[in-house]
Amino acid sequence: MYIGRFAPSPSGPLHFGSLVAALGSYFQAKSHAGKWLVRIEDIDPPREVEGASSLILKALETYQLHWDDKVLYQSHRLDAYQDQIDQWLIDGHAYLCECTRKQIKADGGFYLGTCRQKQLKDASQCAVRLTMQHPIESFTDQRYGTLTIPEALAKEDFIIKRRDGLFAYNLAVVLDDIYQGVTEVVRGADLIEPTGRQISLYKTLGHKPLRYLHLPLAIDDSGNKLSKQNHATAIDLSNPRPTLLNAMRFLGFTIDDSILNADIESIVQWGVENWHLLQLPDELKIKPPFSNDAL
Ligand code: GLU
């Protein structure tokens, strides 16, 4: 069975870019008669905004994107992340590192494995890094074909737990996608680079990597991702139809006149029935075909 997911971080309310990711993953799952799960990625408290999780869930309900099963909160999974790290520290698939950001910058910006052989023991003073044994420099995307990742990035022993005790996104996302039985990851093109590291983690775990589909990213006139700093305001919950139709146009739909005035549920259902990967724009970064004001 197809199992897809939408995995927002509660760093703010749902904005246009995250609605695009929610819709794309929903259409892809439901057009495969699959399940669509929601996972709240709340493992980085300093970046979280109070109340954002419930606002995100409310927005999904307003846009008639109903999830299957119970919402999974990453903050409830910390023991599982720690258990995996402990195992890898014993097996040598991970090691403790005491290097500062400043030192790494002085070495050229990429970590050179300085602490690999040091056998550091005091976890409270250290970050944990993966011993990179499976560097991934490219992978196949379901729509965009072969996507490449810079070699230095692919080869780096990256951090799986930070010195401040927070677990890294790449580790949590992979362990949870496996835990939830996800079969395909559909998300924004801003997450192409981390995909290489995530596939490296699957290989370290001896688990078959998932299928990946990346969705075009909405950018502004200067080529920057729409974010909270630049226009990515919360989507409209009182009048969702225009925003929904714009997000669907962004995903390459040519909206039928017959559904322009339909209710939200029928528009989403129409989207499920008419969704094809080839409709997605050829470019992975695009300016929305309408003004930012409409976002
Ligand atoms: N939580 C991540 C974000 O909001 C997305 C994770 C993923 O889809 O893999 O950017």
Side-chain angles (χ1 to χ4, degrees), residues 9-12 40 42 48-58 73:
S9 306
S11 52
I40 299 287
D42 53 350
E48 281 155 28
V49 170
E50 177 115 17
S53 301
S54 50
L55 270 177
I56 291 172
L57 296 177
K58 183 159 183 282
Y73 290 84

Side-chain angles (χ1 to χ4, degrees), residues 115-188:
C115 297
R116 254 199 196 207
Q117 312 301 339
K118 283 192 191 161
Q119 310 280 354
L120 296 168
K121 290 281 174 260
D122 185 0
S124 69
Q125 297 301 315
C126 292
V128 184
R129 290 182 181 271
L130 185 80
T131 313
M132 177 54 76
Q133 285 156 320
H134 306 280
I136 299 295
E137 289 178 42
S138 68
F139 67 94
T140 306
D141 183 90
Q142 300 296 310
R143 165 67 178 86
Y144 295 96
T146 303
L147 297 177
T148 55
I149 291 145
E151 187 186 345
L153 198 68
K155 291 196 165 150
E156 193 174 36
D157 288 349
F158 61 87
I159 289 185
I160 51 179
K161 186 177 182 187
R162 291 173 9 188
R163 189 199 286 258
D164 62 9
L166 296 180
F167 294 98
Y169 151 72
N170 284 313
L171 175 77
V173 96
V174 165
L175 293 181
D176 287 349
D177 281 336
I178 293 174
Y179 175 69
Q180 295 189 284
V182 169
T183 57
E184 185 176 73
V185 169
V186 182
R187 59 186 175 195

Side-chain angles (χ1 to χ4, degrees), residues 5-11 18 21 39-41 47 74 169 173 177 185-188 190-191 198 225:
R5 52 46 159 205
F6 174 55
S9 306
S11 52
S18 38
R39 180 170 73 230
I40 299 287
E41 306 216 313
R47 287 189 50 225
Q74 288 196 321
Y169 151 72
V173 96
D177 281 336
V185 169
V186 182
R187 59 186 175 195
D190 52 327
L191 295 169
Q198 290 169 25
K225 172 183 162 181

Side-chain angles (χ1 to χ4, degrees), residues 52-229:
S53 301
S54 50
L55 270 177
I56 291 172
L57 296 177
K58 183 159 183 282
L60 294 176
E61 278 170 347
T62 305
Y63 281 75
Q64 300 290 330
L65 299 173
H66 302 292
W67 54 90
D68 297 296
D69 301 349
K70 276 208 321 223
V71 172
L72 180 69
Y73 290 84
Q74 288 196 321
S75 55
H76 297 179
R77 294 264 302 146
L78 305 184
D79 288 348
Y81 309 149
Q82 188 60 50
D83 286 351
Q84 185 60 62
I85 286 183
D86 290 344
Q87 190 57 49
W88 278 342
L89 285 171
I90 293 170
D91 296 348
H93 290 312
Y95 61 91
L96 300 179
C97 166
E98 62 183 355
C99 296
T100 61
R101 220 175 279 184
K102 204 167 149 199
Q103 273 168 280
I104 296 168
K105 211 170 159 201
D107 286 344
F110 285 98
Y111 183 71
L112 302 173
T114 318
C115 297
R116 254 199 196 207
Q117 312 301 339
K118 283 192 191 161
Q119 310 280 354
L120 296 168
K121 290 281 174 260
D122 185 0
S124 69
Q125 297 301 315
C126 292
V128 184
R129 290 182 181 271
L130 185 80
T131 313
M132 177 54 76
Q133 285 156 320
H134 306 280
I136 299 295
E137 289 178 42
S138 68
F139 67 94
T140 306
D141 183 90
Q142 300 296 310
R143 165 67 178 86
Y144 295 96
T146 303
L147 297 177
T148 55
I149 291 145
E151 187 186 345
L153 198 68
K155 291 196 165 150
E156 193 174 36
D157 288 349
F158 61 87
I159 289 185
I160 51 179
K161 186 177 182 187
R162 291 173 9 188
R163 189 199 286 258
D164 62 9
L166 296 180
F167 294 98
Y169 151 72
N170 284 313
L171 175 77
V173 96
V174 165
L175 293 181
D176 287 349
D177 281 336
I178 293 174
Y179 175 69
Q180 295 189 284
V182 169
T183 57
E184 185 176 73
V185 169
V186 182
R187 59 186 175 195
D190 52 327
L191 295 169
I192 288 172
E193 283 192 351
T195 303
R197 294 183 163 184
Q198 290 169 25
I199 296 173
S200 301
L201 289 173
Y202 282 100
K203 299 221 174 223
T204 306
L205 290 163
H207 196 283
K208 199 168 159 268
L210 309 183
R211 292 194 305 271
Y212 292 95
L213 168 66
H214 289 86
L215 302 168
L217 204 62
I219 52 168
D220 62 15
D221 289 340
S222 8
N224 296 319
K225 172 183 162 181
L226 296 183
S227 68
K228 266 169 245 113
Q229 291 75 34

